[in-house]
Amino acid sequence: MTRWRWVTRADCVISGPLSPGSVVAAGGRCGRCPCRAPRGRRALRSRCSAAGGPRRLRGHSARRHRPRRRHRGSRRSPAMAKEGAQRAEETEQMIDKEGGREANEGGAGGSLRAGDAKEMRAVVLSAFGGLNKLRVSKKAMPEPQEGELKIRVKACGLNFIDLMVRQGNIDNPPKTPLVPGFECSGIVEALGDSVKGFEIGDRVMAFVNYNAWAEVVCTPVEFVYKIPDDMTFSEAAAFPMNFVTAYMMLFEVANLREGMSVLVHSAGGGVGQAVAQLCSTIPNVTVFGTASSFKHEAIKNSVTHLFDRNADYVQEVKRISADGVDIVLDCLCGENTGKGLSLLKPLGTYILYGSSNMVTGETKSFFSFAKSWWQVEKVNPIKLYEENKVIAGFSLLNLLFKQNRGGLVKGVMDKLLNLYNSKKIKPVVDSLWALEEVKEAMQRIHDRGNIGKLILDVEKAPTPLMANDSTETSEAGEEEEDHEGDNENKERMPFIQ
Ligand SMILES: NC(=O)c1ccc[n+]([C@@H]2O[C@H](COP(=O)([O-])OP(=O)(O)OC[C@H]3O[C@@H](n4cnc5c(N)ncnc54)[C@H](OP(=O)(O)O)[C@@H]3O)[C@@H](O)[C@H]2O)c1
């Protein structure tokens, strides 16, 4: 049990002066009010009058005593809040472990942002599994090879596929440790040999074959795109994966045209919102969407008919359109494959592009994997021929990094940037998170809390922990056990723009 001294008289704004030298257990209470002492080495640093000074203590303490006000736009259930609190505690410890220099360099945002130009901060996945496998560490800074650009990263996209990578829930997973992330935005810092069309200082967004969640990345020039002047770095990090996927499925695979109808799952998510926006660029397209019901108010203008994700959407769609739909975009897999196929009109197209149903917990579940695989409708081509149906699959990452179609994607990106410049599409950013908050950001997707895209903002400092109001008060000066339940009183709120 860690012990520390409650050092200053001004530090409890509810009870007033505390006796200097009162000893409480880390994670325990000051003994006069519901004020909780923080835990861990960082807590010691930040509370010690020698290191932090009374002013800092007062400010922090005051925050902890304020009745917790939910952030506008925060949509967390009590269960989510508890999970989030546990994540927050882990992150706090993560910063502690990694931030040996943090105190010297002054500030959480500057942790490991060393003067040493050869090193950088990066999120590292040490092994496949739960959120505890993620850390922010120092890594050697990459240098561009021939045909590559070196990018000083400003923001990174966090996608559902990143959860699956973390769990090892993908085909042929690479070896760990690895730096996750497939897309980022930033500023060109150096050019490899034979790179043309870019200059140092250009604002860009890029696909990266892993390694995007770092302060610096290098990636081949064919995966890099200049960003419009009025596009923020957060928007740019939210753009490539969602919009290219949505565009290629709708226009390259399914040939969306005027008057057609589309069914999309997870309509409030990153890809879902991109699909909805792109459908609105074609006249008279009907979009059927499923999403958790708390998102319906926020996304109702982008989707024609919205259903709760647990509703019997096959019946609901048929009630509105007896014939079904022209295009089914299925990112869930499992039983939804058969349902999607059953909803297709003649000459309609079903596209499988994800398997979100396989994610049922923090770690990979072989049961969910087997169930999902078992539930997939086994397709007989003769039946497709008789029913005039098209079935397709789409994987952008395979297209880019395994099937060498960077040129094709570049053409799509040009069209998408024209749509952006003519203000027909705009990425929806859910929230911004520091690299050190990656666990909480991922937890938000696990909790189905996001509307639009989650962004890791490389320059953002972690949001201070907010304390819930405590209920118990112990006797003055009493020592308390350092118990797990204390985590419930800490929560880090999402930063919503
Ligand atoms: N093939 C490709 O090239 C490609 C590219 C990008 C994305 N994808 C796929 O497209 C899907 C959406 O990706 P995204 O990055 O835009 O993410 P996203 O939609 O923002 O993902 C989060 C949302 O997914 C829904 N969801 C469905 N099953 C879930 C589960 N088991 N656990 C948690 N949430 C679940 C939740 O929304 P509701 O509760 O509202 O349903 C959640 O808010 C994913 O399946 C992803 O793998 C495929």
Side-chain angles (χ1 to χ4, degrees), residues 466-483:
M466 304 289 286
N468 287 334
D469 289 344
S470 300
T471 46
E472 304 162 54
T473 303
S474 60
E475 295 300 314
E478 186 187 355
E479 287 188 14
E480 291 190 2
E481 286 301 315
D482 183 8
H483 56 86

PDB file of all heavy atoms in Angstrom, residues 466-483:
ATOM      1  N   MET A 466     -11.756  13.214 -14.037  1.00  0.00           N
ATOM      2  CA  MET A 466     -12.834  13.843 -13.286  1.00  0.00           C
ATOM      3  C   MET A 466     -13.247  12.870 -12.190  1.00  0.00           C
ATOM      4  O   MET A 466     -13.361  11.676 -12.439  1.00  0.00           O
ATOM      5  CB  MET A 466     -14.048  14.101 -14.185  1.00  0.00           C
ATOM      6  CG  MET A 466     -13.745  14.937 -15.403  1.00  0.00           C
ATOM      7  SD  MET A 466     -13.423  16.637 -14.986  1.00  0.00           S
ATOM      8  CE  MET A 466     -15.074  17.192 -14.623  1.00  0.00           C
ATOM      9  N   ALA A 467     -13.482  13.376 -10.998  1.00  0.00           N
ATOM     10  CA  ALA A 467     -13.889  12.485  -9.906  1.00  0.00           C
ATOM     11  C   ALA A 467     -15.390  12.545  -9.726  1.00  0.00           C
ATOM     12  O   ALA A 467     -15.997  13.604  -9.760  1.00  0.00           O
ATOM     13  CB  ALA A 467     -13.214  12.903  -8.614  1.00  0.00           C
ATOM     14  N   ASN A 468     -15.993  11.382  -9.549  1.00  0.00           N
ATOM     15  CA  ASN A 468     -17.401  11.335  -9.159  1.00  0.00           C
ATOM     16  C   ASN A 468     -17.509  11.800  -7.720  1.00  0.00           C
ATOM     17  O   ASN A 468     -16.557  11.765  -6.954  1.00  0.00           O
ATOM     18  CB  ASN A 468     -17.928   9.905  -9.215  1.00  0.00           C
ATOM     19  CG  ASN A 468     -18.105   9.446 -10.631  1.00  0.00           C
ATOM     20  OD1 ASN A 468     -18.296  10.245 -11.524  1.00  0.00           O
ATOM     21  ND2 ASN A 468     -17.995   8.148 -10.809  1.00  0.00           N
ATOM     22  N   ASP A 469     -18.720  12.215  -7.327  1.00  0.00           N
ATOM     23  CA  ASP A 469     -18.936  12.518  -5.911  1.00  0.00           C
ATOM     24  C   ASP A 469     -18.876  11.229  -5.113  1.00  0.00           C
ATOM     25  O   ASP A 469     -19.504  10.252  -5.449  1.00  0.00           O
ATOM     26  CB  ASP A 469     -20.312  13.139  -5.716  1.00  0.00           C
ATOM     27  CG  ASP A 469     -20.344  14.547  -6.276  1.00  0.00           C
ATOM     28  OD1 ASP A 469     -19.258  15.091  -6.514  1.00  0.00           O
ATOM     29  OD2 ASP A 469     -21.453  15.061  -6.473  1.00  0.00           O
ATOM     30  N   SER A 470     -18.108  11.219  -4.058  1.00  0.00           N
ATOM     31  CA  SER A 470     -18.034  10.032  -3.210  1.00  0.00           C
ATOM     32  C   SER A 470     -19.173  10.053  -2.211  1.00  0.00           C
ATOM     33  O   SER A 470     -19.770  11.088  -1.961  1.00  0.00           O
ATOM     34  CB  SER A 470     -16.711  10.003  -2.459  1.00  0.00           C
ATOM     35  OG  SER A 470     -15.671   9.974  -3.379  1.00  0.00           O
ATOM     36  N   THR A 471     -19.471   8.931  -1.642  1.00  0.00           N
ATOM     37  CA  THR A 471     -20.585   8.860  -0.722  1.00  0.00           C
ATOM     38  C   THR A 471     -20.136   8.697   0.730  1.00  0.00           C
ATOM     39  O   THR A 471     -20.779   9.178   1.641  1.00  0.00           O
ATOM     40  CB  THR A 471     -21.505   7.690  -1.075  1.00  0.00           C
ATOM     41  OG1 THR A 471     -20.685   6.557  -1.308  1.00  0.00           O
ATOM     42  CG2 THR A 471     -22.316   8.014  -2.321  1.00  0.00           C
ATOM     43  N   GLU A 472     -18.998   8.010   0.899  1.00  0.00           N
ATOM     44  CA  GLU A 472     -18.599   7.741   2.283  1.00  0.00           C
ATOM     45  C   GLU A 472     -17.542   8.729   2.741  1.00  0.00           C
ATOM     46  O   GLU A 472     -16.757   9.216   1.961  1.00  0.00           O
ATOM     47  CB  GLU A 472     -17.957   6.353   2.395  1.00  0.00           C
ATOM     48  CG  GLU A 472     -18.836   5.253   1.890  1.00  0.00           C
ATOM     49  CD  GLU A 472     -17.979   4.035   1.639  1.00  0.00           C
ATOM     50  OE1 GLU A 472     -17.276   3.628   2.586  1.00  0.00           O
ATOM     51  OE2 GLU A 472     -17.996   3.503   0.542  1.00  0.00           O
ATOM     52  N   THR A 473     -17.538   8.962   4.015  1.00  0.00           N
ATOM     53  CA  THR A 473     -16.487   9.780   4.599  1.00  0.00           C
ATOM     54  C   THR A 473     -15.915   9.009   5.777  1.00  0.00           C
ATOM     55  O   THR A 473     -16.656   8.490   6.602  1.00  0.00           O
ATOM     56  CB  THR A 473     -17.055  11.103   5.119  1.00  0.00           C
ATOM     57  OG1 THR A 473     -17.708  11.759   4.045  1.00  0.00           O
ATOM     58  CG2 THR A 473     -15.963  11.987   5.644  1.00  0.00           C
ATOM     59  N   SER A 474     -14.603   8.940   5.832  1.00  0.00           N
ATOM     60  CA  SER A 474     -14.002   8.193   6.931  1.00  0.00           C
ATOM     61  C   SER A 474     -13.619   9.148   8.058  1.00  0.00           C
ATOM     62  O   SER A 474     -13.670  10.358   7.908  1.00  0.00           O
ATOM     63  CB  SER A 474     -12.761   7.456   6.429  1.00  0.00           C
ATOM     64  OG  SER A 474     -11.847   8.400   5.947  1.00  0.00           O
ATOM     65  N   GLU A 475     -13.239   8.578   9.154  1.00  0.00           N
ATOM     66  CA  GLU A 475     -12.814   9.396  10.291  1.00  0.00           C
ATOM     67  C   GLU A 475     -11.543  10.141   9.942  1.00  0.00           C
ATOM     68  O   GLU A 475     -10.741   9.695   9.162  1.00  0.00           O
ATOM     69  CB  GLU A 475     -12.523   8.485  11.487  1.00  0.00           C
ATOM     70  CG  GLU A 475     -13.747   7.770  12.010  1.00  0.00           C
ATOM     71  CD  GLU A 475     -14.820   8.741  12.471  1.00  0.00           C
ATOM     72  OE1 GLU A 475     -14.471   9.703  13.177  1.00  0.00           O
ATOM     73  OE2 GLU A 475     -15.984   8.560  12.111  1.00  0.00           O
ATOM     74  N   ALA A 476     -11.411  11.323  10.549  1.00  0.00           N
ATOM     75  CA  ALA A 476     -10.222  12.133  10.277  1.00  0.00           C
ATOM     76  C   ALA A 476      -8.964  11.343  10.576  1.00  0.00           C
ATOM     77  O   ALA A 476      -8.850  10.684  11.592  1.00  0.00           O
ATOM     78  CB  ALA A 476     -10.249  13.387  11.134  1.00  0.00           C
ATOM     79  N   GLY A 477      -8.012  11.453   9.650  1.00  0.00           N
ATOM     80  CA  GLY A 477      -6.722  10.843   9.877  1.00  0.00           C
ATOM     81  C   GLY A 477      -6.718   9.335   9.709  1.00  0.00           C
ATOM     82  O   GLY A 477      -5.668   8.717   9.844  1.00  0.00           O
ATOM     83  N   GLU A 478      -7.853   8.741   9.376  1.00  0.00           N
ATOM     84  CA  GLU A 478      -7.912   7.284   9.294  1.00  0.00           C
ATOM     85  C   GLU A 478      -7.186   6.791   8.045  1.00  0.00           C
ATOM     86  O   GLU A 478      -7.288   7.389   6.978  1.00  0.00           O
ATOM     87  CB  GLU A 478      -9.384   6.862   9.212  1.00  0.00           C
ATOM     88  CG  GLU A 478      -9.579   5.368   9.257  1.00  0.00           C
ATOM     89  CD  GLU A 478     -11.048   5.035   8.992  1.00  0.00           C
ATOM     90  OE1 GLU A 478     -11.851   5.964   8.889  1.00  0.00           O
ATOM     91  OE2 GLU A 478     -11.368   3.864   8.873  1.00  0.00           O
ATOM     92  N   GLU A 479      -6.512   5.718   8.174  1.00  0.00           N
ATOM     93  CA  GLU A 479      -5.879   5.116   7.014  1.00  0.00           C
ATOM     94  C   GLU A 479      -6.880   4.184   6.349  1.00  0.00           C
ATOM     95  O   GLU A 479      -7.617   3.479   7.010  1.00  0.00           O
ATOM     96  CB  GLU A 479      -4.655   4.314   7.428  1.00  0.00           C
ATOM     97  CG  GLU A 479      -3.493   5.191   7.824  1.00  0.00           C
ATOM     98  CD  GLU A 479      -2.233   4.408   8.036  1.00  0.00           C
ATOM     99  OE1 GLU A 479      -2.175   3.243   7.639  1.00  0.00           O
ATOM    100  OE2 GLU A 479      -1.320   4.974   8.631  1.00  0.00           O
ATOM    101  N   GLU A 480      -6.868   4.188   5.008  1.00  0.00           N
ATOM    102  CA  GLU A 480      -7.813   3.337   4.294  1.00  0.00           C
ATOM    103  C   GLU A 480      -7.080   2.374   3.388  1.00  0.00           C
ATOM    104  O   GLU A 480      -5.997   2.663   2.894  1.00  0.00           O
ATOM    105  CB  GLU A 480      -8.764   4.186   3.453  1.00  0.00           C
ATOM    106  CG  GLU A 480      -9.704   4.978   4.323  1.00  0.00           C
ATOM    107  CD  GLU A 480     -10.785   5.629   3.494  1.00  0.00           C
ATOM    108  OE1 GLU A 480     -10.818   5.443   2.270  1.00  0.00           O
ATOM    109  OE2 GLU A 480     -11.597   6.333   4.109  1.00  0.00           O
ATOM    110  N   GLU A 481      -7.678   1.254   3.155  1.00  0.00           N
ATOM    111  CA  GLU A 481      -7.106   0.272   2.243  1.00  0.00           C
ATOM    112  C   GLU A 481      -7.192   0.798   0.813  1.00  0.00           C
ATOM    113  O   GLU A 481      -8.135   1.479   0.427  1.00  0.00           O
ATOM    114  CB  GLU A 481      -7.880  -1.052   2.333  1.00  0.00           C
ATOM    115  CG  GLU A 481      -7.587  -1.837   3.593  1.00  0.00           C
ATOM    116  CD  GLU A 481      -6.115  -2.190   3.724  1.00  0.00           C
ATOM    117  OE1 GLU A 481      -5.519  -2.622   2.725  1.00  0.00           O
ATOM    118  OE2 GLU A 481      -5.558  -2.018   4.813  1.00  0.00           O
ATOM    119  N   ASP A 482      -6.208   0.455   0.032  1.00  0.00           N
ATOM    120  CA  ASP A 482      -6.174   0.826  -1.358  1.00  0.00           C
ATOM    121  C   ASP A 482      -6.927  -0.256  -2.128  1.00  0.00           C
ATOM    122  O   ASP A 482      -6.401  -1.306  -2.422  1.00  0.00           O
ATOM    123  CB  ASP A 482      -4.697   0.850  -1.771  1.00  0.00           C
ATOM    124  CG  ASP A 482      -4.532   1.288  -3.189  1.00  0.00           C
ATOM    125  OD1 ASP A 482      -5.517   1.712  -3.797  1.00  0.00           O
ATOM    126  OD2 ASP A 482      -3.386   1.180  -3.660  1.00  0.00           O
ATOM    127  N   HIS A 483      -8.205  -0.034  -2.380  1.00  0.00           N
ATOM    128  CA  HIS A 483      -8.989  -1.106  -3.006  1.00  0.00           C
ATOM    129  C   HIS A 483      -9.449  -0.739  -4.410  1.00  0.00           C
ATOM    130  O   HIS A 483      -9.519   0.423  -4.802  1.00  0.00           O
ATOM    131  CB  HIS A 483     -10.173  -1.487  -2.121  1.00  0.00           C
ATOM    132  CG  HIS A 483     -11.061  -0.338  -1.799  1.00  0.00           C
ATOM    133  ND1 HIS A 483     -12.066   0.043  -2.633  1.00  0.00           N
ATOM    134  CD2 HIS A 483     -11.071   0.514  -0.737  1.00  0.00           C
ATOM    135  CE1 HIS A 483     -12.688   1.079  -2.099  1.00  0.00           C
ATOM    136  NE2 HIS A 483     -12.095   1.386  -0.964  1.00  0.00           N
TER     137      HIS A 483
END
